Amino acid sequence: MPELPEVQTITNDLKFKILNKKISKVEIRLESIVKNETQFFKKTLINNSFEKIERRGKFIILKLKNKKEYLVIHLRLTGQLFYQNKNEIIAGGHDTGENDFNLLNKKAHLIIYFEDNSKLFYNDQRQFGFLQIINDQELNILKKRLGVEPLDEKFTLKIFQELTKNKKTNIKAFLLNQENIAGIGNIYADETLWEAGIRPTRNLNSLSPENIEKVFKSIKKILKKAVKFRGTTFNNYLDTNGDKGNFSKMLKVYGRDGEKCAECGSIIVKTTVAGRGTRYCPKCQPDNQKTETNPNQGKLI
DNA sequence: CTTCTTGTTACTGA
DNA sequence: ATCAGTAACAAGAA
């Protein structure tokens, strides 16, 4: 599941791979993943180039040079972007033993060709992701609907305290809501709350100021670390080179239900919170506010 | 075969 | 206004 660290990794890589390269051709094989009318989409891109690439929440925003328009990409659950420079072999699909490029070419739902013969492939197993050309106004609406950027310096403890004040939802649902903080998904919500020693079911109004501060610090710490390790590959995620994210090895609870907690050896539990599969350590993430029983408290790994 | 999974939105009911 | 819960979307894995 591409979340902030994965989308950031892709964005960073695209910056030095496709920036300012002239687009020569756009091939759409699955029309449903393009939100615009096909001809408009192609016409806007061809002979144009991307002059700025940024991430906002889980969106990749590519600013077009010739017009005041933007290509926005959301990968949702299983969207993948692969870049191929001329005829180089892409890493993904090692295990198949097949020619990786042929495989990619076969599976791609959309291909952007650049004038220097490099290509950008979009592939989406579940087909929930999308690409869309939008204008300035629509971009502003999109950005306004998203909450604060968690790795931005402007996201301070004070802002977090205000955000969480007077809210009655549980902490996990709060973290997943993109209108509060943009970019956290199921993996990093669970990992953040383990790091903070807070059970995902805890209601915001039951958290002490110390709890709030711990969650705040954990958000920054986990996301920064995950970006550094180029994201998490759990099922499907691969970067633009076709390589896996290395944060997978650092996961403490996500996908580790039934295994031992790295901190205390208790068995990691899986439940449903906010309609999502949720893993936590029953001992390190206690059910109540007695944080002094939490071995993680005050400690950052 | 059915059920589950996942991000996001839309909708319902409290 | 707020919040919880659920259906919908698609397709593969269990």
Side-chain angles (χ1 to χ4, degrees):
Chain A
M1 294 58 66
E3 304 175 25
L4 185 150
E6 292 77 29
V7 179
Q8 187 66 57
T9 300
I10 291 170
T11 303
N12 292 345
D13 287 358
L14 286 180
K15 272 181 201 167
F16 60 85
K17 288 183 168 171
I18 64 168
L19 206 60
N20 297 317
K21 283 189 182 176
K22 193 169 173 182
I23 298 166
S24 55
K25 184 180 154 189
V26 176
E27 188 180 338
I28 303 173
R29 299 204 184 131
L30 183 71
E31 297 213 352
S32 59
I33 59 159
V34 174
K35 282 204 175 182
N36 308 97
E37 198 273 317
T38 305
Q39 285 315 307
F40 167 77
F41 185 85
K42 286 187 178 180
K43 219 171 93 181
T44 308
L45 289 178
I46 292 170
N47 292 323
N48 212 333
S49 59
F50 304 117
E51 64 171 12
K52 193 183 165 195
I53 306 177
E54 61 172 339
R55 179 194 59 75
R56 179 77 173 92
K58 299 174 192 169
F59 288 87
I60 304 167
I61 301 169
L62 304 102
K63 185 173 191 280
L64 285 161
K65 194 181 181 184
N66 293 343
K67 300 161 192 169
K68 282 191 173 174
E69 278 160 329
Y70 303 81
L71 171 64
V72 299
I73 304 176
H74 197 301
L75 304 170
R76 287 277 175 96
L77 305 175
T78 53
Q80 296 173 324
L81 285 167
F82 296 120
Y83 174 80
Q84 188 201 31
N85 187 11
K86 297 182 182 111
N87 293 314
E88 72 179 338
I89 303 295
I90 293 183
H94 276 300
D95 42 346
T96 66
E98 274 189 59
N99 179 316
D100 301 319
F101 169 67
N102 285 337
L103 196 68
L104 272 185
N105 212 343
K106 223 184 286 178
K107 285 174 71 180
H109 293 130
L110 185 143
I111 307 173
I112 296 176
Y113 297 81
F114 297 96
E115 213 173 43
D116 67 348
N117 289 321
S118 62
K119 303 172 187 77
L120 186 67
F121 296 86
Y122 180 84
N123 168 53
D124 194 341
Q125 186 187 98
R126 302 248 173 109
Q127 303 175 24
F128 280 0
F130 61 87
L131 297 89
Q132 184 178 19
I133 308 268
I134 60 172
N135 60 29
D136 268 328
Q137 208 178 3
E138 292 166 310
L139 181 67
N140 282 335
I141 294 169
L142 184 150
K143 285 185 173 180
K144 222 185 273 181
R145 291 189 60 168
L146 295 170
V148 62
E149 278 298 326
L151 293 183
D152 198 314
E153 286 170 9
K154 282 179 240 166
F155 179 50
T156 59
L157 176 59
K158 199 177 170 187
I159 300 279
F160 189 61
Q161 286 165 339
E162 273 161 30
L163 268 177
T164 49
K165 204 164 61 182
N166 301 326
K167 286 225 165 67
K168 285 175 191 160
T169 186
N170 63 62
I171 181 68
K172 168 120 182 190
F174 173 85
L175 292 176
L176 289 177
N177 188 339
Q178 301 299 298
E179 292 176 25
N180 297 323
I181 302 168
I184 300 175
N186 212 23
I187 296 173
Y188 298 107
D190 280 6
E191 292 300 309
T192 294
L193 291 173
W194 183 85
E195 176 68 28
I198 305 289
R199 190 166 297 200
T201 48
R202 288 280 299 278
N203 195 291
L204 283 184
N205 63 21
S206 82
L207 297 179
S208 68
E210 290 74 26
N211 290 156
I212 293 290
E213 187 172 352
K214 198 74 211 295
V215 174
F216 172 76
K217 284 182 176 166
S218 301
I219 291 169
K220 295 254 187 195
K221 183 183 163 73
I222 291 291
L223 291 179
K224 266 185 206 165
K225 196 169 170 186
V227 170
K228 197 172 151 191
F229 283 83
R230 298 181 62 83
T232 302
T233 297
F234 190 74
N235 300 316
N236 188 264
Y237 170 75
L238 295 172
D239 66 22
T240 60
N241 301 313
D243 289 325
K244 293 178 176 180
N246 300 313
F247 195 75
S248 322
K249 300 171 198 123
M250 325 292 290
L251 295 174
K252 303 295 186 184
V253 281
Y254 189 84
R256 296 192 68 249
D257 33 307
E259 294 176 35
K260 284 181 180 173
C261 172
E263 185 71 27
C264 74
S266 303
I267 299 299
I268 302 297
V269 170
K270 185 184 175 186
T271 49
T272 298
V273 182
R276 289 281 162 267
T278 298
R279 286 85 167 179
Y280 64 87
C281 170
K283 193 176 166 197
C284 294
Q285 297 168 267
D287 201 2
N288 52 46
Q289 293 179 71
K290 287 178 197 163
T291 49
E292 66 270 16
T293 62
N294 177 5
N296 267 333
Q297 189 68 24
K299 181 165 43 174
L300 293 177
I301 12 163

